[in-house]
Amino acid sequence: MTLYGDDPNPPSHGHTLRNVLRKVRRLHKGGSPRQQLLLLLTWLLLFFTAFRTLRYILASTSQPRLLCHAPTHERPHHVPAPKQPSAHDQESLLSTWKTLEAIYNAYPPRPLDLTLHHFDSLSEFPPLDAIKTHTKISLEDARASRESHSEVTKKLVPYPAQLFSGRGIVMLAGGKYTAFATTGLGMLREVGSELPVEVWFKDETEENDEWCKELTKEGMSCRRLSDYMDTELLVHGYQLKICSILFSSFERILFLDADNVPVRKPDGIFTSKSFTDTGVVMWPDYWKHTGSPLLPYTVGLSQESSEMLREDQTAESGQLAWDKKRHWKALCLAAYYNYYGPQHYYTMISQGWAGWGDKDTFLIALRALQQDFYMVPHRLKTLFVNGTSHGVGMLQADPTKTANYEPMFLHSNMIKWSIRGFLCVDCNNDPVDPIEKSALEDADSSINRHLQEHQRIFNLPDMEEMNIDPEPLIWRSFEHIACRGVWQNEGLCNRTRTHMEQTFGYEFQKSPLSPRVGGGDRICVKTI
């Protein structure tokens, strides 16, 4: 039997089409008025859809100099979002923390109200004599701190292997840092990272349910520190970082600060020799160690007050790669330093010069336990606003490239990349997240002229020399936030797209099928 029955000479397509049209005409003539009206409306809808679709196709094909595609965030990917831990695992980790907390409470350092005095100048590195005598602590207190530290290192809990697995990125958000995190997380996908991500918040008051649902589609999940600890005991934001690393479900972690913008795909860090050989990768800061000479004594590195750390390079913890299985005890010891950070250790480690906070607690813990780590040998570079001497942030090197400096991370600790902070207009009365003045509104901002005149913020020759060009990708992340994400806003979206069109040559093709702001629109770039 043939497709058309027993007829060996099936009708042609033209003959078939004529038969269909003949039947439609008969229905049109013989049908009721209601049927005829419905048929007319159906034809009109078909013609309208065909016209819009044809115009959309012609717009794509009539400009051979444009390359158009869906935004990165709207393309299918295969990064599963990390699963929430089971009730059993959550209870086990909570028990682990309670045990650690009991140890920390039993053996505090002394004094617990170490007074922070800043040096006379924060722009010039303090002289050695000033470093030696800056922080006043008695030998009796130093001995007590040394004994407490020794007891803590002896009693640290063993690694709970059943609670952690895999590798991924950890980022801490919440409050004003959520706006920065949206940019950094967007850039992870823009540069092609396929790593799962956990985004941590202090508690549910800082979480945004709609954003968390959106993140799930990106292979990311939201977590809360308050599920494991009483966060009210933490008196400073610097203490939250170590907790997010400690509680993360990942065994191997790349921690990124919320204001850290990847400029290259970071996935290769976990398979790099620098990480597989040591289990920890750290990045350098600008300056040498300024801690108290009693610090080596209190953490068991020396038998008396010592200058042994004086020539050590301090660490910049805007990014940190850590294998918990190999360096669990050092992580727990760093948690001890942060538990008493604001009252004692932050001041002991920096003495109130630049860098007071958590950043060197990881390094000191590794040194105290004599564990290996890899410090990236390349000095960081400061990225400046195009045509000015104003800094944007710190460009940190790719640790997989040992021979030459190639940047991987832009820790934007000077200019924070937030689309609302850049282009929001009249947001000072926003009831949820007021902004006094955006950079577009603030004539004194170092990037005001660049936004007003649609100029690049980064100096393009500098980018070409380093073989990177992250700024257009950052603006693509901005465009997703302003036009397609849970914070979409029509005015903000229009200003973002105007800047992208006039600064980078982007064009946007409107989707004929979506009424939403930015919904389904394609991003186009000139291919010359």
Side-chain angles (χ1 to χ4, degrees):
M1 179 180 287
T2 66
L3 183 62
Y4 291 91
D6 296 323
D7 187 355
N9 299 306
S12 66
H13 292 296
H15 181 72
T16 304
L17 181 60
R18 283 194 297 274
N19 285 338
V20 171
L21 292 174
R22 192 177 297 118
K23 291 178 181 178
V24 170
R25 282 196 295 271
R26 282 203 300 269
L27 178 62
H28 182 66
K29 289 179 181 178
S32 67
R34 177 182 176 84
Q35 289 175 319
Q36 292 181 23
L37 178 61
L38 288 173
L39 186 63
L40 177 63
L41 291 175
T42 302
W43 277 110
L44 288 174
L45 178 62
L46 286 171
F47 278 124
F48 177 75
T49 303
F51 171 73
R52 292 290 301 272
T53 304
L54 181 62
R55 190 174 69 171
Y56 186 59
I57 294 171
L58 289 175
S60 303
T61 57
S62 63
Q63 301 182 41
R65 299 173 64 189
L66 290 181
L67 178 65
C68 302
H69 49 72
T72 303
H73 301 266
E74 295 183 8
R75 293 184 225 159
H77 61 74
H78 305 286
V79 184
K83 294 180 179 179
Q84 296 293 329
S86 67
H88 177 268
D89 286 351
Q90 186 168 329
E91 186 61 33
S92 296
L93 190 52
L94 178 61
S95 176
T96 298
W97 170 250
K98 286 182 177 179
T99 301
L100 284 170
E101 189 176 32
I103 295 169
Y104 301 160
N105 286 331
Y107 301 101
R110 284 172 46 184
L112 279 179
D113 56 351
L114 194 57
T115 305
L116 172 63
H117 296 291
H118 290 288
F119 285 92
D120 293 337
S121 172
L122 292 180
S123 60
E124 297 180 0
F125 193 81
L128 181 58
D129 287 343
I131 292 174
K132 287 181 177 180
T133 59
H134 188 72
T135 300
K136 309 299 182 184
I137 179 172
S138 69
L139 286 176
E140 181 182 357
D141 281 342
R143 291 191 191 101
S145 296
R146 179 183 173 92
E147 291 172 4
S148 289
H149 188 278
S150 177
E151 290 301 315
V152 169
T153 58
K154 292 174 186 175
K155 290 178 167 55
L156 292 174
V157 297
Y159 178 63
Q162 74 281 4
L163 298 180
F164 310 117
S165 63
R167 62 185 185 178
I169 292 172
V170 171
M171 184 175 285
L172 190 61
K176 64 180 181 180
Y177 294 99
T178 293
F180 313 145
T182 57
T183 308
L185 293 171
M187 273 296 284
L188 277 170
R189 296 301 180 236
E190 290 290 350
V191 298
S193 175
E194 297 177 352
L195 291 169
V197 181
E198 288 182 348
V199 184
W200 283 82
F201 298 88
K202 183 179 179 180
D203 53 42
E204 62 182 348
T205 64
E206 296 193 339
E207 226 176 333
N208 182 302
D209 290 339
E210 291 303 313
W211 185 45
C212 288
K213 291 177 184 176
E214 184 178 286
L215 288 177
T216 300
K217 302 173 186 176
E218 296 288 325
M220 307 175 185
S221 65
C222 294
R223 305 284 304 278
R224 291 191 293 247
L225 295 175
S226 57
D227 289 343
Y228 301 96
M229 67 183 306
D230 181 1
T231 54
E232 295 305 313
L233 296 175
L234 305 179
V235 298
H236 202 288
Y238 286 137
Q239 296 172 285
L240 301 177
K241 179 186 297 186
I242 184 72
C243 297
S244 65
I245 297 173
L246 196 70
F247 298 145
S248 168
S249 67
F250 300 129
E251 184 170 81
R252 288 157 291 158
I253 287 172
L254 173 62
F255 179 90
L256 298 178
D257 272 354
D259 56 2
N260 199 318
V261 179
V263 299
R264 276 197 176 92
K265 183 177 178 178
D267 303 30
I269 290 176
F270 290 113
T271 55
S272 67
K273 190 175 188 305
S274 54
F275 184 76
T276 57
D277 281 356
T278 66
V280 170
V281 176
M282 308 189 79
W283 282 260
D285 213 326
Y286 289 108
W287 53 84
K288 300 289 187 179
H289 186 73
T290 62
S292 166
L294 281 172
L295 178 65
Y297 172 73
T298 60
V299 300
L301 284 172
S302 65
Q303 297 301 314
E304 57 187 7
S305 178
S306 171
E307 302 298 325
M308 63 180 297
L309 300 177
R310 191 66 54 227
E311 292 304 312
D312 280 10
Q313 189 70 37
T314 55
E316 192 274 297
S317 62
Q319 54 288 305
L320 173 70
W322 196 283
D323 186 332
K324 288 201 281 195
K325 182 177 182 180
R326 295 174 64 176
H327 294 287
W328 173 251
K329 288 195 172 183
L331 188 64
C332 294
L333 186 58
Y336 171 70
Y337 297 155
N338 281 273
Y339 192 78
Y340 291 112
Q343 306 97 319
H344 185 89
Y345 279 107
Y346 293 165
T347 299
M348 284 290 286
I349 291 172
S350 76
Q351 298 198 96
W353 201 65
W356 187 90
D358 66 278
K359 72 185 199 68
D360 283 304
T361 57
F362 302 92
L363 181 60
I364 297 300
L366 290 163
R367 290 291 306 271
L369 296 179
Q370 300 181 12
Q371 293 184 358
D372 291 337
F373 61 92
Y374 179 82
M375 177 69 79
V376 173
H378 305 292
R379 292 180 61 86
L380 65 91
K381 295 185 178 182
T382 303
L383 186 61
F384 294 95
V385 175
N386 189 15
T388 78
S389 59
H390 296 283
V392 174
M394 300 179 285
L395 274 172
Q396 291 284 13
D398 182 346
T400 70
K401 312 289 186 183
T402 56
N404 301 304
Y405 171 90
E406 293 184 25
M408 177 172 277
F409 300 107
L410 170 60
H411 187 188
S412 305
N413 59 336
M414 302 173 209
I415 292 181
K416 311 287 190 181
W417 288 82
S418 157
I419 184 58
R420 295 181 76 250
F422 275 33
L423 295 181
C424 211
V425 173
D426 296 328
C427 290
N428 53 318
N429 293 320
D430 189 312
V432 178
D433 188 13
I435 295 176
E436 185 175 347
K437 278 185 181 181
S438 70
L440 182 67
E441 298 172 305
D442 185 1
D444 293 329
S445 169
S446 60
I447 59 173
N448 175 267
R449 175 174 57 85
H450 303 75
L451 297 175
Q452 293 280 359
E453 300 175 7
H454 304 298
Q455 298 178 5
R456 280 176 173 261
I457 295 172
F458 300 159
N459 183 29
L460 188 55
D462 289 344
M463 298 298 98
E464 291 172 344
E465 183 180 340
M466 291 184 285
N467 195 29
I468 58 170
D469 190 14
E471 192 173 353
L473 296 181
I474 295 174
W475 281 91
R476 284 166 60 103
S477 182
F478 275 177
E479 193 267 349
H480 173 76
I481 299 164
C483 304
R484 309 166 196 267
V486 297
W487 287 287
Q488 63 179 250
N489 174 277
E490 187 169 2
L492 190 60
C493 176
N494 291 336
R495 288 189 291 276
T496 302
R497 288 184 169 182
T498 298
H499 185 81
M500 293 174 70
E501 290 166 347
Q502 298 193 29
T503 308
F504 308 106
Y506 282 114
E507 292 187 20
F508 298 89
Q509 290 188 351
K510 184 70 180 172
S511 167
L513 305 177
S514 177
R516 292 188 302 113
V517 174
D521 293 3
R522 303 201 304 170
I523 299 178
C524 306
V525 290
K526 293 181 179 179
T527 57
I528 332 180

